[in-house]
Amino acid sequence: MTRISQLMTALLTLALPLPAPAQDTTPGLSILPESTLIVRPQAELIVRPEILRDLRLSATQIEQFLRAHPELETEAKPLPDGRIVLPPELTEGARYGFEKRMAIAGHGQAFDIEGRPVEISRGEAAKLLSEIQEVALLERRAGKPRELPDMDRLLRMTKMLDELRGIRDLDDTNRLYAQYLTIRAEAQMLEDERRSALIWRAEFLSRLLFPEQQIEAVLRPEILEVKFQLAEWVIASLSQTDYMRSCGADDVPVPPDFSTNSSKWTFQGNLASTLIVQGQTAAVYTYASPSVRGSCIALPRGSGGPSNVAGVICQSAETGKACFWDNLEKGTGDIIPFGNNAVIKIREMQDATELSQNCTSCHRGNNVFNISPDDPTWCRLLRGGKPGANCSTLSGPNAANFTTEVDPGVLPLSVPGTNPPVLHSRYTPLSGAPARPGWVNNTGPGCGSACHLGPNAPFAPPLMPPACGANCN
């Protein structure tokens, strides 16, 4: 299928009934055939005539643009065996087996260095974890550790883990968990790029090896104590993390600690439809800075129990930089519950420097938020109170500073088929210094009147329905 036919099909499929995609077993977007658009409404999708007109216009514009640029035809040709196209920076310099076996991961699926999806058994996960631990020890001892607060305490924990791994009658689960904690502790002393590379893979493997609801019940008290001590050390040493400071330096609003009854976060409503976990409540909370234009949006799902996720994304209107957090605890990777009005401290959440999932696999385009303009709640965030919007004004303090847009002129791209050219800005993800490989916002030539620019991603997320024309603002 050519790029033209792919994009035409994706646009026009919105007007047709779609077969229900297979239910994901983990939160995330399904990876479907290249001509399938993921649309998961809780009610039947009804497409208005004016939307269909916009869609057909968009398809025509894209076709005209791509016919004028035949070199782009090669960008979206499907690969055999369900493979994806990996950015070169993910394949260059891969030395170890675990780096080649797990080149990238997103929403519960890992891909190898050839871009093939891989299924990792428990036995293989144990071997990969052991290899990562050996490399963590080797690299930390071969180089000069970076300066960290309370380094003596961290070194005491690594020594204790060395002793625990040497216990002869240690069962497999405790031995593997001691290896996992060793990786997390040793990697803290490495530079950001290597620390991230080791920790996200160990985090991914831990999900396969250790059922979250059962692990604490089977750990030896000494290992459980190190688990808690390491989490305390990470949190105490990072009262405001380097990542939070770097976000603030790029004029990204730095979010306050999150709670469903916080006076700083404002509940805007539940989503009427979702793209990720069907049947699970997804609530939308916003934070607006008193001094910085932009937006922070939290999307807690479910009742806030130990298996419910809550992501936070913040974006600057002026610089287009965006920052990411998930309710996974630093130091352990455990989900931080938020039910019963519990408070999640932002500094305790994993951020884009360490998350095992690559958020930019789906969050691409002219702004960071995957938002569906036809949903009443998203309508308030996009254009609440504007003429013809048919949705109420955004509520909450400092609402005048809240916008999901990126200011004109920030990494602009032109919409195909427009004369004079219509420009869309696009955002830049922040993932540490240096930036993590693969954490990029690569976009295609555009998608006409749709709110998000066409992604040029390893596996393409869907365009957000419907095409919304002038209401992109």
Side-chain angles (χ1 to χ4, degrees):
M1 179 176 287
T2 67
R3 184 170 178 81
I4 293 173
S5 59
Q6 279 183 305
L7 292 170
M8 295 280 285
T9 301
L11 284 167
L12 297 177
T13 300
L14 280 172
L16 303 174
L18 291 173
Q23 181 66 41
D24 295 339
T25 57
T26 56
L29 294 174
S30 297
I31 302 173
L32 299 178
E34 70 277 357
S35 61
T36 306
L37 182 67
I38 303 172
V39 180
R40 300 182 184 177
Q42 290 180 339
E44 182 181 358
L45 180 66
I46 300 174
V47 185
R48 299 189 298 272
E50 63 271 23
I51 293 171
L52 289 177
R53 186 167 57 251
D54 280 348
L55 288 173
R56 294 188 178 102
L57 178 60
S58 298
T60 300
Q61 291 173 335
I62 292 173
E63 182 177 7
Q64 291 172 347
F65 180 88
L66 291 174
R67 291 197 188 284
H69 298 276
E71 70 277 7
L72 296 176
E73 279 290 326
T74 60
E75 289 187 7
K77 290 187 183 297
L79 297 174
D81 305 321
R83 288 189 293 135
I84 63 171
V85 179
L86 293 178
E89 61 266 26
L90 290 181
T91 58
E92 296 170 352
R95 293 178 291 164
Y96 303 110
F98 67 85
E99 292 175 319
K100 297 174 183 178
R101 184 65 169 158
M102 303 170 62
I104 192 172
H107 293 289
Q109 178 64 62
F111 297 85
D112 67 15
I113 198 169
E114 301 296 332
R116 295 175 298 220
V118 296
E119 297 298 329
I120 300 174
S121 67
R122 178 179 172 81
E124 184 184 9
K127 291 179 181 178
L128 290 169
L129 193 74
S130 296
E131 184 182 352
I132 296 172
Q133 179 213 269
E134 291 175 7
V135 171
L137 290 166
L138 177 67
E139 293 190 359
R140 197 269 287 180
R141 292 167 182 171
K144 181 181 179 181
R146 65 185 184 124
E147 293 296 323
L148 294 167
D150 203 0
M151 178 72 100
D152 289 343
R153 185 182 179 195
L154 183 61
L155 291 172
R156 285 196 301 271
M157 281 185 276
T158 61
K159 182 178 179 181
M160 189 181 304
L161 287 166
D162 287 342
E163 295 171 355
L164 288 168
R165 294 195 314 276
I167 296 175
R168 288 186 178 182
D169 63 347
L170 203 62
D171 62 78
D172 286 344
T173 298
N174 276 274
R175 191 179 308 279
L176 286 168
Y177 204 85
Q179 291 178 339
Y180 169 62
L181 291 176
T182 298
I183 296 166
R184 297 198 70 98
E186 296 284 351
Q188 299 297 333
M189 293 176 266
L190 302 178
E191 294 303 318
D192 284 348
E193 184 174 0
R194 290 306 294 162
R195 176 172 60 88
S196 296
L198 299 183
I199 286 181
W200 82 253
R201 290 177 170 93
E203 183 73 39
F204 185 92
L205 295 172
S206 76
R207 300 289 176 196
L208 303 177
L209 292 167
F210 314 121
E212 188 164 344
Q213 283 79 11
Q214 303 172 20
I215 187 61
E216 292 188 3
V218 300
L219 289 180
R220 290 175 62 123
E222 311 97 297
I223 294 178
L224 193 60
E225 178 62 24
V226 177
K227 175 181 187 285
F228 293 142
Q229 283 191 27
L230 182 57
E232 289 175 0
W233 178 88
V234 171
I235 292 166
S237 64
L238 302 172
S239 57
Q240 188 180 50
T241 64
D242 290 343
Y243 185 71
M244 293 168 72
R245 285 188 284 271
S246 69
C247 294
D250 276 311
D251 290 329
V252 179
V254 178
D257 294 341
F258 176 78
S259 172
T260 53
N261 71 341
S262 168
S263 61
K264 295 183 178 180
W265 287 92
T266 303
F267 174 64
Q268 302 294 348
N270 293 330
L271 296 184
S273 59
T274 60
L275 286 169
I276 299 179
V277 183
Q278 280 301 104
Q280 190 178 84
T281 301
V284 178
Y285 287 78
T286 60
Y287 165 73
S289 167
S291 58
V292 178
R293 288 178 55 249
S295 51
C296 288
I297 299 178
L299 196 65
R301 299 179 180 89
S303 60
S307 62
N308 293 141
V309 296
V312 175
I313 300 178
C314 298
Q315 176 181 267
S316 168
E318 297 179 2
T319 66
K321 302 296 176 62
C323 297
F324 304 80
W325 293 266
D326 264 337
N327 63 324
L328 302 174
E329 186 180 47
K330 287 179 177 290
T332 68
D334 294 344
I335 289 180
I336 307 172
F338 55 88
N340 299 319
N341 301 323
V343 176
I344 303 178
K345 296 185 181 299
I346 299 298
R347 70 174 183 269
E348 298 178 10
M349 298 172 72
Q350 290 190 11
D351 56 48
T353 66
E354 59 198 322
L355 287 168
S356 63
Q357 314 287 1
N358 185 337
C359 299
T360 62
S361 295
C362 293
H363 290 272
R364 302 198 177 200
N366 59 336
N367 73 67
V368 69
F369 302 106
N370 284 348
I371 46 184
S372 184
D374 57 343
D375 188 285
T377 298
W378 287 137
C379 180
R380 300 183 68 199
L381 274 61
L382 283 166
R383 55 186 186 276
K386 293 184 179 180
N390 296 321
C391 53
S392 58
T393 303
L394 188 80
S395 57
N398 310 310
N401 279 342
F402 185 94
T403 177
T404 60
E405 293 182 72
V406 175
D407 286 349
V410 178
L411 294 177
L413 290 175
S414 59
V415 175
T418 58
N419 188 18
V422 174
L423 299 180
H424 274 310
S425 297
R426 57 190 170 113
Y427 90 95
T428 301
L430 295 180
S431 60
R436 290 177 64 181
W439 279 69
V440 293
N441 178 22
N442 289 339
T443 56
C447 57
S449 59
C451 278
H452 277 244
L453 296 177
N456 180 18
F459 46 95
L463 303 179
M464 291 295 150
C468 57
N471 284 332
C472 284
N473 294 327

